[in-house]
Every structure is written in structure tokens, then in C-alpha cells.
Amino acid sequence: TRRFADGRCPTVQLPTTISLNGLRRVMKRLWRQSVHEIAAGIVVEHAATLVRSADGKVRLDYAVAGIANAVTPVYTVGADETCIGTYHTHPYAEGLTEMAFSDTDIASVIEFEEWISLVQSGDDVFALIRTTKTVDSVVPSVLEADFDQFLNVALRAGSSERAALWTANMGVCRRYGLAFYAGQVDRNLEVIFKL
């Protein structure tokens, strides 16, 4: 975490992989809670806060439940803790998985100055990391318009919803200076895009 001065990682110091050690058990539990009523067509997004304690250890804590397509994580942590980011789930009632970040998710990473943001969709996990090239602030409606443009161009070109979402994530990360990682909950995440 020394790489993250002021919540931003210099691009040259971005890790090639991100380990989920110490986080997986909570992530798996929150994913199961998100889809435990999927047979009835009910899903609920869950979130938790990535907390660094005074001894430097990172954990997921302050878990909360939201609604089918939204959840608001907790950003206020204990006095001897640092909020370094958030985790949330992306369940879909129709069973879609491998779904990366939404435009709202990405805007939140910038606006709330998260060092790292994780989203889980099935066994797939995606991460955004703020870098020294990340913009200082964003107008959410402008980011949404950029995101939609990337998404719609990909959909019109015949991409699946998953692939179009991936394309929109890459385009917005490039435009706003974020690094993007992907992998699975039982493995390390690999860097997919960095400036």
C-alpha cells in the first residue's frame, strides 16, 4: 500500500496482479447472499468496504445489502482505519455473469477517491485502481454519456452485452485515467489496461 500515495498509484508502479488473499471468504459469502433467491427471480446487490487497519492489514468489512441493481457502500470507517475502496456484487436475475463496472460505479470511484474498487459477477472479479493519471473529479452525467457511447457503438457492432460492457469499461478507463484488472475470485486479478 506504500504505492498509494494520496490514494493514487503511479502508473509505473501499478502491480501486474492483485491478490484477493484475505478477502475471498467475505466476497464469496456476499455473492451467495446476492443470488440465494435467484430461482425466484430475486437478486440483491451487496457491498463491503475495503479497510486498511493501523497495522497495514486489509480486510472487507461494513457489509451492507442494497436492492436488485444498486447498493451504497459505507465510506466512514473507524478512527484507526483507512477506507481504501469498496467491493460490491453485480447479480442479474436472468443469471448473467462476467459483468464489469457500470457508469455509476466508475464515477463513484473518482468522486469518492477510492484507491481501489472491486466488483464481483459470478466467479469473475474486476478491479479499478486510481492512478496519478486519474482525473480529480467528474460530472457523473458526462461520464455516463461517454460510457453509453462506447457501449452503444459496441452493441451496434454486434458485441454481446458482456463484451460491450467490457468495451465501455476500457474506453472510460482510458479517458479518465483508471487502471482495469480482471480475474476470478479464486485467483489473482491480472492487469488488463493501464495508461
Side-chain angles (χ1 to χ4, degrees):
T1 53
R2 285 190 189 87
R3 291 183 176 130
F4 296 99
D6 301 319
R8 294 168 182 259
C9 185
T11 302
V12 295
Q13 293 181 22
L14 283 165
T16 54
T17 62
I18 297 173
S19 170
L20 300 175
N21 288 343
L23 308 177
R24 288 185 177 99
R25 186 178 50 79
V26 174
M27 291 170 68
K28 288 178 179 183
R29 176 174 53 82
L30 293 177
W31 177 256
R32 283 192 305 272
Q33 290 175 353
S34 295
V35 297
H36 81 281
E37 293 187 76
I38 196 168
I42 299 168
V43 294
V44 177
E45 285 195 11
H46 283 71
T49 306
L50 281 156
V51 176
R52 187 182 68 194
S53 54
D55 63 5
K57 292 193 169 120
V58 175
R59 71 183 192 283
L60 276 173
D61 206 342
Y62 304 99
V64 291
I67 58 174
N69 59 356
V71 64
T72 302
V74 174
Y75 288 97
T76 304
V77 297
D80 60 342
E81 300 172 330
T82 304
C83 171
I84 61 170
T86 62
Y87 158 88
H88 73 284
T89 60
H90 266 187
Y92 286 76
E94 52 281 342
L96 278 175
T97 57
E98 302 174 54
M99 303 299 281
F101 293 93
S102 71
D103 56 332
T104 306
D105 297 337
I106 299 170
S108 292
V109 169
I110 297 169
E111 284 303 291
F112 289 98
E113 300 182 0
E114 296 184 34
W115 301 9
I116 182 170
S117 181
L118 299 170
V119 68
Q120 182 174 356
S121 180
D123 288 334
D124 293 277
V125 179
F126 304 93
L128 295 173
I129 292 185
R130 281 171 55 92
T131 74
T132 49
K133 296 184 180 180
T134 304
V135 298
D136 290 330
S137 65
V138 67
V139 176
S141 61
V142 173
L143 187 146
E144 179 184 357
D146 289 341
F147 187 94
D148 288 347
Q149 183 179 13
F150 290 122
L151 186 74
N152 291 328
V153 166
L155 289 170
R156 283 195 297 274
S159 291
S160 68
E161 192 174 344
R162 287 181 188 104
L165 188 60
W166 182 281
T167 298
N169 273 250
M170 294 300 100
V172 171
C173 283
R174 181 174 287 109
R175 186 161 290 171
Y176 291 90
L178 293 159
F180 182 86
Y181 291 72
Q184 294 200 314
V185 70
D186 285 321
R187 300 194 193 104
N188 288 343
L189 307 184
E190 306 282 337
V191 65
I192 304 298
F193 173 79
K194 63 181 182 177
L195 291 167

